[in-house]
Amino acid sequence: TIFVEEALYRLVELHYKIGLVSEAEKYAALLGYNYQSSLWYEASYKILNKDYIKKTITSKEEKETILKKFKKIFQ
């Protein structure tokens, strides 16, 4: 079913809120193992790690790194 990822996230959320942190971590690990690239895994990671900040690369930073890599090829 397509709702497995969300169901696992909800289990993480529920167990964390009622104080069963170890159970929440188990469900988060299961979610991460099976659906590591999903938005639900990222949301569960945010629940367990309050200091988590997703780093996004701006287009200017991306262009600079690509340009640097390209210059290295020809040096």
Side-chain angles (χ1 to χ4, degrees):
T1 170
I2 61 172
F3 299 107
V4 173
E5 297 171 56
E6 183 180 0
L8 288 170
Y9 166 74
R10 298 297 176 192
L11 287 169
V12 170
E13 184 180 43
L14 174 71
H15 283 92
Y16 186 80
K17 285 188 179 183
I18 63 173
L20 299 173
V21 178
S22 63
E23 292 294 319
E25 289 172 347
K26 288 178 187 177
Y27 286 114
L30 181 64
L31 180 59
Y33 181 77
N34 292 306
Y35 306 100
Q36 190 172 12
S37 62
S38 76
L39 296 175
W40 294 110
Y41 176 64
E42 185 177 329
S44 67
Y45 193 83
K46 287 180 186 177
I47 290 173
L48 296 173
N49 301 300
K50 297 295 182 185
D51 298 330
Y52 175 72
I53 299 172
K54 184 177 180 181
K55 184 176 191 260
T56 56
I57 299 175
T58 62
S59 61
K60 184 178 179 182
E61 290 174 340
E62 186 176 322
K63 287 178 185 176
E64 288 177 0
T65 58
I66 292 172
L67 185 60
K68 286 179 185 177
K69 289 178 183 178
F70 189 70
K71 284 181 179 179
K72 285 181 182 179
I73 292 173
F74 292 106
Q75 287 179 348

